Amino acid sequence: LLERLKDPEYAVGYLKAVLAEEDMPELFLVALKDVAEAWGISRLARDANLNRANLYKALSKKGNPELGSLYAILNALGLRLSVEMKEAS
């Protein structure tokens, strides 16, 4: 998985799939951590201007990163957040 997550398009698809899940908040942080590990935690922490230990904590299952930190992480990965209408059930 980590090798495939080095491909930006695969990483985006992976994160989008997790966002569609019911227990999304916890899963999304774990999935984002997977992407971060694939791309290199140390480099990501430096590029996002975050402490490496705090980055690991923020991306843990119990993590609760601030929006600014989440934005910095996604920006360092070359990604961005997007809001879409939920499909009618």
Side-chain angles (χ1 to χ4, degrees):
L1 176 64
L2 293 181
E3 193 60 38
R4 287 184 279 163
L5 288 173
K6 290 179 182 178
D7 174 4
E9 289 184 27
Y10 188 88
V12 167
Y14 178 66
L15 293 172
K16 280 185 172 186
V18 170
L19 285 172
E21 294 296 319
E22 289 294 321
D23 48 352
M24 182 277 301
E26 297 85 13
L27 290 178
F28 181 73
L29 291 178
V30 172
L32 189 55
K33 181 180 177 188
D34 289 342
V35 173
E37 288 177 344
W39 291 28
I41 289 284
S42 294
R43 186 180 97 203
L44 176 60
R46 183 188 67 240
D47 292 350
N49 200 28
L50 298 170
N51 175 291
R52 187 173 178 228
N54 290 342
L55 178 59
Y56 269 113
K57 184 178 177 183
L59 298 179
S60 71
K61 240 182 183 174
K62 300 281 185 192
N64 190 16
E66 294 182 6
L67 185 57
S69 296
L70 181 59
Y71 177 80
I73 293 165
L74 292 172
N75 190 52
L77 290 169
L79 305 173
R80 68 174 176 219
L81 286 177
S82 169
V83 177
E84 300 175 5
M85 292 291 295
K86 184 178 176 180
E87 292 182 19
S89 29

